[in-house]
Amino acid sequence: MTKLQTGVSYTKYMNLYTVSYNYCTSSKMQGASGDQSGGGIGHRTNLMGSDLYNNLIRYFVNHLKTLKTQSDSLQDEALLRYYAQEWDRYTTGANYINRLFTYLNRHWVKRERDEGRKGVYPVYTLALVQWKTNFFMHVQSKNQKLAGAILRLIERQRNGETIDQGLVKKVVDSFVSLGLDESDINKVSYEVYRDHLEAPFLDATDKYYRQESEKFLAENSVADYLKKAEERLREEEDRVERYMNTNTRKALIQKCEHVLIREHAQLMWDNFQQLLDYDKDEDLQRMYALLARIPEGLEPLRKNFEEHVKRAGLAAVQKLIGEGAAGTTPDVDPKAYVDALLEVHQKNSETVTRSFRGEAGFVASLDKACREFVNRNAATGTSTTKSPELLAKHADALLRKNNKMAEEEDLESALNKVMVLFKYIDDKDVFQQFYTTKLSKRLIHGVSASDEAEASMISKLKEACGFEYTNKLQRMFTDMSLSKDLTDNFKERMQQNHDDMDITFSIMVLGTNFWPLNPPTHDFIIPQDILPVYTRFSQYYQQKHSGRKLTWLWNYSKNELRTNYLNQKYILMTSSWQMAVLLQYNNNDTLSLDELVNATAISKDILKQVLAVLVKAKILINEETDQYDLNPNFKSKKIRINLNTPIKAEQKAESTDVLKTVDEDRKYVIQASIVRIMKARKTMKNQALIQEVITQISQRFTPKIPDIKKAIDHLLEKEYIERVEGTRDTFAYVA
């Protein structure tokens, strides 16, 4: 123990080992009786083993007395250095002694322990037990002198001083080594470490950080405190790695999280809005990372973030329409509206990804807030159909030839952004109907940006809502392809049979069930100039498809007229109504309003709007009330002049017709849903049925409970379902 530096020769080591062996196996012992029986020999061997074991105890005790005396005058780091030095010497010496007494361990100690004797250990463990009893407890019992010295050194390190971490680790490891599990001495026991070091260490940690955090917050901002807390937690993680036992990690981090985060969580929650307002990304990241460590730490942030996003969305729309428009449903530019909503979503989506690591709770808060302000804002008023209408109009503008998207990638990106908002639309059926109407106009007038872009958008809608949602859209493209073939075949036939065909034309035959097109609400007298073509095609189609009925949609047709009465020839692009009016001037220079009504059968209200466009373009002159003259001096810088602009009556009718169609469709969707549910369940209570209908349909639109009740009453009347006898609120399916 005291001469480790000089060491021991191999010969001397073997001599000592042999003496130990002989002593343990000797059958004679001074002063013992000469009984040579087997029992007597075993008894003497036991006595010899016990005697040798007790001498070892006395040796360890005497050695440790010296250490106790020398340690009494030492304090703090000096005590730790002395303790660590002597611990190294003692454990090394004990290891050598343990090897010398291998035979004692293997036979006498093993037999004693097998027989259940307490307090007998292998020599190395015995050395540790004696160290704990005769030296460790002596030093530690004086106001936790040893643990106190470690804690003061750790506090100095927390205060920024440099300490000997290797020294601390040696002493800390000794606490672990001194633990002893009586039931299994080979098993590591943390009892000594836990009672004598870990418990006071955790208490000291609690006290230190409680004082520091309160003082720091009194003098600094919350943002600075977040940095400090993050730094301190990192330090404590590092401390466990460097010299504390790894079993302390969980308890230490929990203690730090409680004192540094839980105790000040309310202050962090209160300052969260300020960080959001000023886009303090780094501070938001720190706050998220800290509060994520404690139970329910993030929930107040999620709620606050949801309200923040909702306020930002509502404010963006309010700014767009102007303060004075509140309480009304103003006209809003679809692009500006969509851009305003997307800007709010994109900014806050980036915040979720960057500051909150894309955490599911914050994603849900963002989605909930966006769904709220996308469907209900200053532009929509109380209407739930305004947002889907504006989004569909914006999509229509993107997919037209005259959009400003230079590259296909830009258009694809813009369509993806449309789908971002589409996800939040409650009434997806309204969007569907407006989109279908707009698509029909693009296809009829040939103004689609590209077939690829149209197919891409339909694919996105199909992916979001399923095949049924886009079935009609895809059938519309099929009709366009069939119509082209039909027109080509008809022209070929006419060229064979008629030589007087001097009108260039194309015809689209569109399925009534797939196209949201309404025939004109008034009569129309077909001008003589196009009557032969009209008649011949009608006859050709009836021969080809007997039994089908053609309904001519003059209100969607368009024409090109060539002027022959001016020096400069112009091409006028017109609607059917404008064509019918202008063709009357082939035989007249001036016509009254009533004469034009009689000649065309167009209603007076619509005809006035048609004439107003022609007068504004200076094709006609209106110098006298209800009298319209052909302008002989018409001039224009353009050779091709587009007169075919939508009239107000048509624009207003389109929106009204769409919403009317949506209402009708919803009735059937609700009824079909009820029948499907009842067919599967057979019987169901009223309230459960209503909830199930809402659940099934809510992906498409949010059904109103009165509408569901009306549908139930209608199905009762039609005998699809019936009330169960003896009950008031239970229905049964009628097979």
Side-chain angles (χ1 to χ4, degrees):
M1 286 286 185
T2 56
K3 298 179 181 178
L4 285 176
Q5 300 305 319
T6 58
V8 61
S9 68
Y10 178 74
T11 305
K12 189 173 182 181
Y13 178 84
M14 288 307 299
N15 287 338
L16 288 170
Y17 185 91
T18 304
V19 169
S20 167
Y21 174 81
N22 289 339
Y23 189 80
C24 290
T25 57
S26 172
S27 60
K28 295 178 182 178
M29 190 174 73
Q30 246 180 350
S33 65
D35 184 2
Q36 297 299 309
S37 68
I41 291 170
H43 178 64
R44 283 196 299 276
T45 304
N46 285 347
L47 289 173
M48 289 173 188
S50 177
D51 189 40
L52 187 58
Y53 189 81
N54 290 330
N55 279 329
L56 275 171
I57 293 174
R58 282 191 287 274
Y59 171 77
F60 288 137
V61 171
N62 287 333
H63 174 74
L64 293 168
K65 275 182 184 175
T66 310
L67 303 189
K68 282 198 289 188
T69 305
Q70 292 176 346
S71 69
D72 285 344
S73 60
L74 301 175
Q75 295 286 338
D76 294 337
E77 193 168 349
L79 173 64
L80 294 178
R81 290 198 181 283
Y82 177 75
Y83 180 92
Q85 177 187 324
E86 293 303 325
W87 170 259
D88 272 351
R89 186 200 306 275
Y90 184 81
T91 51
T92 306
N95 202 22
Y96 283 123
I97 293 170
N98 185 57
R99 291 180 189 176
L100 286 173
F101 291 92
T102 300
Y103 193 81
L104 182 70
N105 286 338
R106 197 180 297 158
H107 295 280
W108 184 82
V109 172
K110 184 177 183 303
R111 186 165 60 248
E112 291 290 307
R113 289 190 62 79
D114 288 347
E115 291 174 0
R117 186 174 166 196
K118 301 290 184 185
V120 176
Y121 312 101
V123 172
Y124 185 77
T125 306
L126 174 67
L128 297 182
V129 170
Q130 295 307 315
W131 175 278
K132 175 186 170 186
T133 307
N134 294 286
F135 182 55
F136 174 81
M137 294 305 295
H138 169 78
V139 178
Q140 183 68 357
S141 62
K142 296 180 178 180
N143 297 319
Q144 294 191 327
K145 191 175 178 183
L146 191 63
I150 296 172
L151 297 179
R152 283 188 287 278
L153 214 53
I154 291 173
E155 185 172 340
R156 282 168 55 193
Q157 187 183 37
R158 283 172 173 159
N159 289 332
E161 296 182 39
T162 303
I163 66 167
D164 186 345
Q165 295 181 132
L167 171 63
V168 176
K169 180 164 178 57
K170 276 185 184 177
V171 179
V172 169
D173 286 348
S174 79
F175 279 71
V176 177
S177 299
L178 293 175
L180 180 66
D181 187 338
E182 289 287 352
S183 62
D184 183 359
I185 58 173
N186 294 317
K187 188 177 176 184
V188 179
S189 170
Y190 295 98
E191 185 182 356
V192 173
Y193 172 78
R194 198 173 290 119
D195 294 345
H196 291 277
L197 182 59
E198 185 180 82
F201 169 67
L202 293 175
D203 289 341
T205 300
D206 184 292
K207 183 180 177 183
Y208 180 87
Y209 284 129
R210 197 176 294 277
Q211 290 174 350
E212 183 188 64
S213 60
E214 288 174 1
K215 183 182 178 185
F216 190 90
L217 278 167
E219 299 169 357
N220 298 276
S221 67
V222 171
D224 290 334
Y225 177 74
L226 295 173
K227 292 178 190 173
K228 185 73 173 176
E230 187 179 56
E231 185 183 317
R232 284 304 199 186
L233 284 163
R234 202 180 299 119
E235 285 175 13
E236 294 305 319
E237 290 266 12
D238 190 50
R239 198 178 317 287
V240 174
E241 291 294 327
R242 290 185 181 276
Y243 52 76
M244 295 301 289
N245 186 268
T246 53
N247 286 305
T248 301
R249 179 194 302 277
K250 187 176 179 182
L252 173 62
I253 299 307
Q254 282 181 345
K255 180 69 72 177
C256 292
E257 286 172 351
H258 182 81
V259 177
L260 294 172
I261 306 172
R262 168 65 71 188
E263 295 281 315
H264 305 290
Q266 188 62 52
L267 194 59
M268 295 186 199
W269 294 334
D270 293 344
N271 276 264
F272 178 64
Q273 186 61 51
Q274 187 179 353
L275 299 182
L276 279 176
D277 291 340
Y278 291 98
D279 299 324
K280 301 284 187 181
D281 279 336
E282 287 186 10
D283 293 331
L284 286 169
Q285 288 172 27
R286 285 194 192 93
M287 185 177 285
Y288 168 81
L290 291 173
L291 289 170
R293 289 169 167 264
I294 62 172
E296 303 302 319
L298 295 177
E299 193 53 35
L301 298 191
R302 294 187 191 111
K303 289 179 180 174
N304 205 327
F305 180 66
E306 183 184 325
E307 288 301 315
H308 170 79
V309 175
K310 189 162 45 168
R311 284 197 302 272
L314 294 174
V317 178
Q318 188 67 62
K319 182 181 177 184
L320 177 68
I321 65 171
E323 296 296 330
T328 65
T329 307
D331 289 329
V332 183
D333 174 45
K335 183 181 185 307
Y337 178 76
V338 169
D339 287 347
L341 298 182
L342 280 171
E343 185 181 349
V344 174
H345 175 271
Q346 185 174 352
K347 179 183 176 183
N348 289 285
S349 181
E350 286 172 359
T351 300
V352 169
T353 305
R354 194 171 52 242
S355 301
F356 309 136
R357 301 176 190 173
E359 194 262 343
F362 282 96
V363 172
S365 294
L366 173 67
D367 288 347
K368 193 174 177 185
C370 289
R371 187 166 285 109
E372 187 65 32
F373 74 71
V374 165
N375 290 287
R376 286 166 284 280
N377 54 53
T380 64
T382 55
S383 169
T384 59
T385 62
K386 191 68 176 176
S387 265
E389 178 183 349
L390 289 169
L391 187 61
K393 286 179 177 177
H394 175 63
D396 175 55
L398 290 175
L399 290 164
R400 283 177 173 268
K401 277 181 181 174
N402 60 355
N403 74 47
K404 295 182 174 60
M405 296 289 172
E407 301 291 335
E408 279 190 26
E409 291 80 6
D410 295 338
L411 179 54
E412 186 68 15
S413 173
L415 294 177
N416 285 333
K417 288 177 180 176
V418 169
M419 293 308 297
V420 168
L421 292 186
F422 176 77
K423 179 177 78 170
Y424 299 119
I425 293 289
D426 281 343
D427 293 348
K428 289 182 171 61
D429 58 336
V430 175
F431 176 90
Q432 178 193 29
Q433 200 61 39
F434 273 107
Y435 186 86
T436 305
T437 303
K438 295 294 183 185
L439 173 61
S440 69
K441 301 282 180 63
R442 290 198 299 277
L443 295 179
I444 288 171
H445 300 309
V447 293
S448 280
S450 72
D451 287 347
E452 291 78 11
E454 294 285 4
S456 174
M457 187 62 187
I458 290 174
S459 174
K460 294 178 199 301
L461 292 170
K462 185 177 179 179
E463 187 179 338
C465 297
F467 169 77
E468 191 180 339
Y469 192 86
T470 58
N471 185 30
K472 286 185 179 180
L473 305 179
Q474 289 169 323
R475 283 300 299 265
M476 288 162 72
F477 281 93
T478 304
D479 281 354
M480 292 300 293
S481 177
L482 293 173
S483 293
K484 185 178 182 303
D485 294 341
L486 187 67
T487 300
D488 291 344
N489 293 337
F490 175 62
K491 283 183 178 178
E492 193 177 322
R493 176 85 169 270
M494 290 302 103
Q495 284 171 354
Q496 293 171 1
N497 300 337
H498 302 278
D499 294 330
D500 59 341
M501 294 281 291
D502 63 340
I503 298 176
T504 304
F505 66 93
S506 63
I507 294 167
M508 299 175 195
V509 179
L510 313 174
T512 308
N513 293 333
F514 308 114
W515 292 75
L517 306 174
N518 296 315
T521 54
H522 52 76
D523 292 332
F524 179 59
I525 298 173
I526 300 169
Q528 289 296 319
D529 303 71
I530 64 169
L531 192 58
V533 178
Y534 165 81
T535 306
R536 287 167 185 170
F537 181 80
S538 296
Q539 291 169 351
Y540 170 76
Y541 190 80
Q542 289 302 326
Q543 288 172 1
K544 196 173 181 68
H545 301 286
S546 61
R548 290 190 187 178
K549 181 186 176 185
L550 284 176
T551 302
W552 291 81
L553 305 177
W554 299 109
N555 44 331
Y556 294 104
S557 301
K558 60 179 183 177
N559 314 266
E560 289 186 2
L561 304 178
R562 187 172 62 247
T563 62
N564 293 317
Y565 69 99
L566 299 167
N567 292 332
Q568 173 68 55
K569 294 191 184 298
Y570 295 100
I571 303 295
L572 305 180
M573 293 179 281
T574 65
S575 67
S576 293
W577 311 148
Q578 291 169 336
M579 172 199 68
V581 169
L582 290 175
L583 287 178
Q584 304 306 316
Y585 288 91
N586 278 338
N587 305 315
N588 303 280
D589 290 332
T590 180
L591 289 163
S592 68
L593 179 62
D594 289 336
E595 286 172 333
L596 286 168
V597 169
N598 293 332
T600 62
I602 301 170
S603 67
K604 192 173 282 190
D605 289 341
I606 291 177
L607 190 58
K608 280 183 178 179
Q609 293 185 57
V610 170
L611 289 166
V613 173
L614 297 174
V615 169
K616 186 178 179 182
K618 298 181 180 177
I619 301 288
L620 300 180
I621 301 170
N622 177 217
E623 293 176 341
E624 299 175 36
T625 305
D626 291 347
Q627 193 68 31
Y628 297 90
D629 304 333
L630 188 65
N631 181 6
N633 301 315
F634 174 77
K635 283 185 181 179
S636 173
K637 292 179 182 178
K638 295 179 180 179
I639 301 299
R640 292 177 65 85
I641 302 162
N642 183 20
L643 302 173
N644 191 7
T645 54
I647 58 178
K648 287 182 181 178
E650 288 177 352
Q651 287 177 312
K652 189 175 180 183
E654 177 188 290
S655 184
T656 306
D657 288 345
V658 167
L659 297 179
K660 187 178 177 183
T661 304
V662 168
D663 286 340
E664 285 299 316
D665 286 349
R666 283 184 176 182
K667 289 178 186 175
Y668 296 124
V669 169
I670 293 171
Q671 288 173 21
S673 178
I674 293 169
V675 171
R676 275 198 307 272
I677 293 166
M678 291 304 299
K679 190 174 182 179
R681 303 288 182 85
K682 303 306 179 192
T683 61
M684 212 169 182
K685 285 189 175 294
N686 179 55
Q687 198 59 37
L689 177 59
I690 290 173
Q691 285 305 316
E692 185 66 24
V693 170
I694 292 172
T695 302
Q696 287 199 11
I697 299 178
S698 57
Q699 295 244 337
R700 187 178 171 87
F701 64 92
T702 305
K704 295 171 184 171
I705 291 176
D707 291 342
I708 298 174
K709 289 181 176 177
K710 281 181 187 175
I712 291 172
D713 290 340
H714 178 77
L715 293 172
L716 284 169
E717 189 180 318
K718 295 290 183 182
E719 296 184 354
Y720 282 96
I721 58 175
E722 63 185 7
R723 293 188 192 277
V724 175
E725 285 187 29
T727 65
R728 294 180 58 192
D729 64 344
T730 304
F731 304 110
Y733 177 70
V734 179

